Amino acid sequence: EVQLLESGGGLEQPGGSLRLSCAASGFIFSSYAMSWVRQAPGKGLEWVSIISGSGSSTYYADSVKGRFTISRDNSKNTLYVQMNSLRAEDTAVYYCAKSHTVGATYNYFDYWGQGTLVTVSS
Amino acid sequence: DIQMTQSPSSLSASVGDRVTITCRASQGISNSLAWYQQKPGKAPKLLLYAASRLESGVPSRFSGSGSGTDYTLTISSLQPEDFATYYCQQYYSTPPTFGQGTKLEIK
C-alpha cells in the first residue's frame, strides 16, 4: 500500500524558513517523480515543484522559484522542500504527491499525502 | 502556462442524477488531462487520467471524454459519497496546472 506522510509544517514569520519532509512507503521510491502541491485555505490546488526519480531534474512554479528548493533522498525514501523567504501568500496545506512516471515532465499524480499546514504570519 | 477553466464552479444535484463537469484548456492538450475528487479536509484522489482512463478502484459511474481543448467528467448516477469538489489538471506541459474546481453539492 502506497503511503505518503508529510511533516514539518507549522507557524513561521514572514521572511523565515521551513523544511517539509514526506516519508514514502509501499512503492519503489526512486522509480517515480515526486511533487509538492499546495492549497491555500478555501482555495484550489496549486502545483509547487517536481523532482525526477533520480533527482537530476527539478521544476518550480514561478511563485516559488528562487525561494523553494525541492530535493529527495532515495536511500531514505524521503522527499523534501526547503522553503526560504516565506511570505503570507505561502500559507497553505502542502501535499506531497507521487507521479505516475519517473520523469519530471508530463505528470499526473496518483497518490497524495494527507498534507501539512504551513502558516506564515507575524 | 496553460490555463484550465472549469464550469460550472458549483453545482447542486440529487442522488441518482447524471452530472457533467466541463474543463477547457487555453490550448490543445492532446488528452493529457486528469480528474481528481477532493472531500473536505482530505487529500485529492485521482479519478481518471488520459482524459478517459479510469484509475484502478474508481467506480464505473465516473467517465471522461473530450479532445483538443475541451473535456468533460460525467457521473452517471450520483451517489451520496460523490458530493465533493472536482478538479481537472493538464499534464501536457510544465508547469502542470489545475482548474479552479467544481463544488458538487446536494440539492
Side-chain angles (χ1 to χ4, degrees):
Chain A
E1 179 192 6
V2 171
Q3 292 193 5
L4 300 169
L5 185 61
E6 301 95 337
S7 60
L11 175 64
E12 183 56 63
Q13 293 187 343
S17 299
L18 277 175
R19 187 175 85 152
L20 306 184
S21 301
C22 172
S25 61
F27 64 102
I28 302 173
F29 186 65
S30 60
S31 292
Y32 296 93
M34 297 292 296
S35 271
W36 290 98
V37 179
R38 68 184 181 184
Q39 187 169 36
K43 302 298 184 182
L45 300 169
E46 179 190 16
W47 172 81
V48 172
S49 184
I50 191 167
I51 186 168
S52 62
S54 68
S56 61
S57 295
T58 59
Y59 295 93
Y60 297 91
D62 287 345
S63 57
V64 306
K65 200 172 295 182
R67 300 188 299 122
F68 288 16
T69 302
I70 193 171
S71 62
R72 65 191 296 160
D73 186 336
N74 287 345
S75 69
K76 295 182 178 179
N77 289 353
T78 303
L79 173 72
Y80 304 98
V81 62
Q82 177 68 41
M83 306 187 296
N84 297 332
S85 304
L86 284 164
R87 306 168 179 166
E89 54 264 36
D90 295 321
T91 294
V93 173
Y94 284 74
Y95 296 101
C96 72
K98 172 186 169 293
S99 290
H100 73 289
T101 188
V102 65
T105 52
Y106 319 120
N107 285 262
Y108 62 86
F109 311 112
D110 53 6
Y111 291 92
W112 299 62
Q114 85 293 345
T116 187
L117 176 62
V118 171
T119 303
V120 183
S121 174
S122 55
Chain B
D1 297 1
I2 297 176
Q3 183 177 356
M4 306 300 292
T5 304
Q6 287 182 234
S7 61
S9 295
S10 63
L11 174 60
S12 293
S14 301
V15 172
D17 284 354
R18 178 184 180 91
V19 300
T20 298
I21 298 168
T22 297
C23 183
R24 174 166 287 175
S26 59
Q27 66 184 75
I29 58 171
S30 297
N31 288 2
S32 298
L33 186 88
W35 288 98
Y36 302 89
Q37 176 193 67
Q38 187 180 32
K39 296 182 179 179
K42 300 296 186 181
K45 173 188 174 183
L46 176 67
L47 298 176
L48 296 108
Y49 60 95
S52 61
R53 297 191 177 185
L54 204 63
E55 175 70 351
S56 176
V58 174
S60 59
R61 62 181 180 272
F62 291 91
S63 63
S65 64
S67 63
T69 60
D70 295 331
Y71 298 86
T72 60
L73 170 69
T74 298
I75 310 172
S76 60
S77 179
L78 274 172
Q79 298 302 300
E81 60 268 28
D82 299 338
F83 292 94
T85 299
Y86 293 84
Y87 294 92
C88 62
Q89 178 233 325
Q90 67 80 20
Y91 54 97
Y92 179 77
S93 69
T94 299
T97 46
F98 293 90
Q100 81 278 15
T102 295
K103 186 174 184 179
L104 180 52
E105 299 175 303
I106 301 173
K107 185 183 287 184

